[in-house]
Amino acid sequence: MDGTLYHYFANKIELLQILQENFEKEIIGRIQSRMENCPADDWRGRMKAWIDGAVDAYFDLSELHDIVIYGSGMPFRNAMADSIITRHLAELIHEGAEAGAWHADDIRWTAGMMFYSFRGGCDEAMIGTQPAENIPQKLYDLFVRILGM
């Protein structure tokens, strides 16, 4: 690491934490901007907007993702178990369940499983086993089934 970076950050871990926070804020911003275009009671539309925003951000920011997630040396499961994006998805699931749009017995667990499906679907496209343009619809179809819609 270039010595001048240590004028701004105490060490590599601090730099990676700042990068991860900014990475997560960027993804949430993209998701929220898509969701703002949906009526508050359009739960299917809000879920689709969440997926579309998350997938676009993941593809656009994949290099930064790999740096902040794998660069920390922490196993992926630890980095994402309580991430901002997973909590944001849990909040959407909770709000939809409260409104009667879908059902989820264990919201945190459901959000985690849906997040890992999202992540795995995007990774499959990145390695070429699925066309990237198919991922949002495939995830939407899966999420609808998971939530019993």
Side-chain angles (χ1 to χ4, degrees):
M1 194 182 236
D2 186 329
T4 59
L5 284 176
Y6 289 111
H7 291 288
Y8 303 100
F9 306 100
N11 53 45
K12 179 182 174 183
I13 298 299
E14 184 180 318
L15 171 62
L16 288 172
Q17 287 172 335
I18 298 296
L19 287 172
Q20 183 172 359
E21 288 171 16
N22 290 335
F23 167 75
E24 290 180 338
K25 286 177 186 174
E26 177 67 22
I27 290 177
I28 295 302
R30 291 183 187 204
I31 291 169
Q32 287 177 326
S33 112
R34 296 269 182 123
M35 290 176 66
E36 287 171 359
N37 294 323
C38 295
D41 62 347
D42 180 6
W43 293 102
R44 286 179 176 263
R46 292 172 62 77
M47 184 58 72
K48 181 77 170 103
W50 191 97
I51 292 166
D52 291 344
V55 168
D56 285 349
Y58 190 82
F59 287 150
D60 289 348
L61 303 170
S62 64
E63 289 180 18
L64 180 57
H65 168 273
D66 291 350
I67 291 168
V68 300
I69 300 302
Y70 301 120
S72 69
M74 183 184 341
F76 177 75
R77 67 186 164 273
N78 293 346
M80 299 313 293
D82 196 33
S83 71
I84 293 170
I85 190 170
T86 306
R87 289 193 315 256
H88 192 270
L89 180 56
E91 184 178 318
L92 176 60
I93 294 167
H94 172 74
E95 291 171 358
E98 289 287 311
W102 49 63
H103 178 74
D105 287 330
D106 185 334
I107 290 170
R108 186 169 189 258
W109 188 84
T110 301
M113 293 303 99
M114 290 169 67
F115 170 79
Y116 286 115
S117 297
F118 149 75
R119 170 78 169 31
C122 290
D123 285 348
E124 287 296 310
M126 289 179 166
I127 64 172
T129 62
Q130 291 291 320
E133 63 272 9
N134 293 352
I135 298 305
Q137 187 61 49
K138 286 180 175 258
L139 287 172
Y140 177 76
D141 293 344
L142 177 63
F143 285 17
V144 164
R145 286 192 303 274
I146 289 171
L147 295 171
M149 292 172 39

